[in-house]
Amino acid sequence: LGIPMFGHAFYQAWHVPFSDGWPIGPADPDPWLRLSLVRDWLSGTGWYDHEVLRSNTPHAGISTPWTRPLDVAIALLVTLQLGDAPLTVVLQRAALLLPVLWMLLLVGGLCRAVHQLAAPPMGAIMVVALIGAMPVIWNYFGSGNADHHALLCALWVWALVPLLANHTTARPIIYSGMLLAFMLWISPEALVLIGVLYGFYGLAWLAGHETAKRLVVLSTSVALSSLVALLIERPPAQWTLPIYDSLSIVHPFVLSLAALLSWLLFLLSDRLRTLHHRLIAAVIGISAVLAAIGYVCPKFFLGPMAEVDAFIFSDFLPRITEAQPLFSERPFYVVAMLIQPIAALLVCAHQLRKRSYLYSPYQCWFLL
């Protein structure tokens, strides 16, 4: 899978700068804006400066929510290129190579997951076939796409791999928490995925399974790692400044409350032996956490767009493909997007109904 992608990327990189009419990269503005920000950074703007220079927005001082981890990866690819080509040309070549690296990272993570599940060797070949048949893959991992979603996709797979094991020590779970916090550093979209994992372990704990320890280790690792990321990403003067569409003190605060709640439920597990008692404790704990968030960071419940400029809603998001509802696309595209997730759900449901499991019940529920 990597060889043809590398070949295609190098072939296109050879033609940079492109002649008129040569299509390159996605039509969405996100990847091109990312390259512009990296160009400004490499040309002299500071680490903490995210303002969009030379923009044609109707409002002055537009700043992006994007953080520096992906910019560092792009800058590294720029540094590795020899020669004296203009910076814009070198950035375009880096953007051509970037999706290939993320694809190799994704395939490696999926094959590692297949190994963790003790699946037949054919599973690794099926992984490659699955990737090749998914339309969304060739959007996020498409040629010249320098946006962060491909990297998030690959990191998400690697974060799940240690959690697939039926029994594991604390260290792999700590690594998963660090990866989840790194994803949050890249984009607050990762909060949804973190919340899904917390919800899974919380529901399993309610059902009487011994998952509280996993949740304690995972939530503590995520909270502490997100705090470290904040100290690197923001200047000291902004460490306590609430920002909702990018990494700020809001996120370590919320994640610390979640970790504190998981610790309390873990320490009280011996006393909370019945479903009724666990449910009462969970409701009280979650209500207290939500009340604390509402008191300190009330705009958190409005989502990451709580404070963005009106221009983002009126002019920018309507041009972003991923911001559009799935069912606004053509029917064939909708079917292509849904058929594989539905097939995966059916496989997991079928495994749960069988008496002899290819995967353990925990792994089936986790994947489901």
Side-chain angles (χ1 to χ4, degrees), residues 99-325:
V100 185
L101 300 179
W102 302 151
M103 175 60 74
L104 295 176
L105 187 64
L106 173 68
V107 174
L110 288 172
C111 289
R112 178 62 181 167
V114 168
H115 176 73
Q116 185 75 276
L117 292 167
M122 181 60 68
I125 299 176
M126 294 174 66
V127 162
V128 179
L130 175 72
I131 291 174
M134 292 187 71
V136 70
I137 289 294
W138 301 112
N139 178 5
Y140 287 162
F141 294 82
S143 178
N145 195 335
D147 205 1
H148 59 265
H149 293 98
L151 176 57
L152 287 180
C153 179
L155 291 176
W156 171 240
V157 172
W158 278 101
L160 293 183
V161 167
L163 304 179
L164 282 171
N166 295 312
H167 302 285
T168 186
T169 59
R171 182 178 297 179
I173 301 178
I174 293 174
Y175 293 154
S176 288
M178 294 171 65
L179 282 175
L180 291 170
F182 188 62
M183 292 170 60
L184 178 62
W185 183 3
I186 296 171
S187 173
E189 295 163 318
L191 276 176
V192 177
L193 305 177
I194 295 172
V196 167
L197 284 176
Y198 288 7
F200 169 77
Y201 285 124
L203 291 174
W205 176 79
L206 279 177
H209 299 286
E210 299 300 325
T211 58
K213 185 176 180 180
R214 284 195 177 209
L215 182 56
V216 163
V217 176
L218 183 67
S219 60
T220 303
S221 175
V222 174
L224 293 177
S225 300
S226 66
L227 181 60
V228 173
L230 169 65
L231 300 181
I232 299 173
E233 177 64 31
R234 301 290 173 194
Q238 295 183 5
W239 283 351
T240 58
L241 177 67
I243 302 172
Y244 293 90
D245 63 344
S246 185
L247 179 68
S248 73
I249 189 60
V250 172
H251 303 97
F253 172 72
V254 172
L255 294 170
S256 297
L257 290 178
L260 178 61
L261 176 59
S262 67
W263 271 103
L264 290 174
L265 295 179
F266 171 69
L267 295 175
L268 295 174
S269 291
D270 291 339
R271 299 184 180 183
L272 304 173
R273 297 185 178 277
T274 66
L275 173 61
H276 179 71
H277 290 159
R278 292 192 175 200
L279 186 60
I280 292 176
V283 170
I284 294 175
I286 293 174
S287 300
V289 167
L290 294 178
I293 295 173
Y295 180 77
V296 179
C297 310
K299 292 184 180 180
F300 178 79
F301 299 111
L302 300 178
M305 298 291 182
E307 293 183 333
V308 299
D309 195 283
F311 170 79
I312 301 299
F313 291 103
S314 61
D315 292 80
F316 194 76
L317 285 180
R319 305 185 183 189
I320 303 298
T321 302
E322 69 215 21
Q324 310 310 313

